[in-house]
Amino acid sequence: MSGQSLLVPGELSPIRSVPGNIRRPEYVGKPAPAPYTGPEVQTPETIELMRTAGRIAARAMEEAAKHIAPGVTTDELDRVAHEYMCDHGAYPSTLGYRGFPKSLCSSINEVICHGIPDSTVLNDGDIINLDVTAYIGGVHGDNNATYLVGDVDEESKLLVERTRESLDRAIKAVKPGRQINIIGRVIESYAKRFGYGVVRDFTGHGINSSFHSGLVVPHYDSPHATTTIQPGMTFTIEPMLTLGTYEYDMWEDGWTVVTKDRKRTAQFEHTLVVTETGAEILTLP
């Protein structure tokens, strides 16, 4: 792997504004969201709204990804996604969520998740995850993907490809009547073939009118994840695989999570709805 220096925090730009006519999630301006007390199984009307939110989130991520190149700042990627969501009537869900200051998460190299866009410049050989969530119609759509920056070493390319494959395999394993730990079992068994770590403390989650409903979707085979999958349930699967340990450190910003051994990590995510026979991806562009 390329011998690039470890990341350090950059400078934050001012918080971006959102047009006043765009509906805000209830947690904006509060220290934490209200606890979700609704069902995990959603109505057809809510699912249709989530298709719209998911499509906007996917297209915003796709638009930001077009700008990934050596020399570009993560703040610039945030600007592109922010403007796309606002232009399409959606609120960037991460902006103001528990005080998060930006409209997407940008996680480079050893950052597992929740990197904050700032003045950090992308370098040739980096990998970067973009995590974008859109709120519109009273619901959220959440997705992420890891991208290559310029000429990337083979070990990192394989990590990215196999992390995407682990998500694809997990989605195929979703069937009504199965326990939710089938998802983690499939991901972990695949990752172990290559000696990858599977991050345990950051998981997939229920999503609907709430950004995080309380439903936990582990990416490892947890004996505690015994919830039965039912048609109409909506949740994310977002495996985080590492070249080394799954243990982590957190930066002083309270958000940026990095691998303890500072080896690289990749992640992919979709929002899903469970159907009568499997799962439908709601975050397709």
Side-chain angles (χ1 to χ4, degrees):
M1 196 175 76
S2 57
Q4 293 176 325
S5 58
L6 298 178
L7 287 170
V8 295
E11 295 293 323
L12 284 177
S13 65
I15 291 176
R16 303 187 197 284
S17 63
V18 176
N21 63 319
I22 292 178
R23 179 178 173 183
R24 272 74 169 153
E26 56 80 23
Y27 53 73
V28 174
K30 300 177 182 177
Y36 178 70
T37 56
E40 296 298 345
V41 172
Q42 304 304 309
T43 65
E45 292 77 17
T46 296
I47 292 165
E48 188 56 39
L49 290 169
M50 289 182 68
R51 284 192 183 95
T52 298
R55 189 178 307 118
I56 291 172
R59 288 176 177 170
M61 184 174 74
E62 190 176 65
E63 197 61 34
K66 291 177 184 175
H67 294 75
I68 291 173
V72 174
T73 65
T74 54
D75 189 64
E76 173 64 9
L77 303 178
D78 181 79
R79 181 194 66 79
V80 173
H82 177 94
E83 291 182 359
Y84 185 94
M85 285 184 274
C86 291
D87 287 348
H88 290 81
Y91 185 91
S93 300
T94 60
L95 185 62
Y97 179 78
R98 297 183 181 271
F100 192 85
K102 292 294 172 183
S103 299
L104 58 72
C105 299
S106 56
S107 301
I108 302 171
N109 297 342
E110 69 267 24
V111 180
I112 294 171
C113 57
H114 305 158
I116 301 175
D118 59 18
S119 62
T120 299
V121 173
L122 296 178
N123 292 311
D124 187 62
D126 284 343
I127 60 173
I128 179 172
N129 178 274
L130 300 183
D131 192 337
V132 180
T133 310
Y135 177 79
I136 189 171
V139 298
H140 301 267
D142 186 3
N143 67 164
N144 76 55
T146 302
Y147 300 91
L148 309 180
V149 184
D151 185 18
V152 175
D153 64 275
E154 189 66 16
E155 184 180 41
S156 297
K157 284 181 183 176
L158 287 173
L159 174 69
V160 171
E161 289 172 12
R162 290 165 177 167
T163 304
R164 184 197 296 272
E165 175 66 17
S166 76
L167 173 60
D168 292 344
R169 288 173 179 240
I171 292 171
K172 289 174 184 172
V174 173
K175 305 285 183 188
R178 290 181 169 176
Q179 291 186 339
I180 214 154
N181 63 2
I182 186 66
I183 293 167
R185 189 177 310 145
V186 166
I187 292 168
E188 187 173 39
S189 63
Y190 179 70
K192 277 184 173 178
R193 291 192 204 173
F194 313 105
Y196 296 154
V198 181
V199 172
R200 299 165 95 84
D201 288 356
F202 300 90
T203 67
H205 52 89
I207 184 170
N208 36 64
S209 60
S210 173
F211 195 169
H212 300 87
S213 73
L215 176 67
V216 174
V217 183
H219 303 120
Y220 65 100
D221 187 4
S222 169
H224 306 294
T226 57
T227 301
T228 300
I229 297 171
Q230 302 175 60
M233 289 176 72
T234 49
F235 53 82
T236 72
I237 304 176
E238 45 189 298
M240 291 152 261
L241 305 187
T242 66
L243 289 176
T245 182
Y246 61 75
E247 295 181 347
Y248 66 91
D249 294 318
M250 187 175 286
W251 283 4
E252 290 183 4
D253 62 24
W255 284 104
T256 306
V257 179
V258 295
T259 54
K260 189 169 280 291
D261 57 12
R262 303 303 190 263
K263 291 186 177 179
R264 288 188 170 187
T265 175
Q267 182 184 17
F268 284 85
E269 174 187 23
H270 276 305
T271 295
L272 312 171
V273 60
V274 182
T275 67
E276 295 295 334
T277 57
E280 176 193 345
I281 298 172
L282 298 178
T283 40
L284 291 175

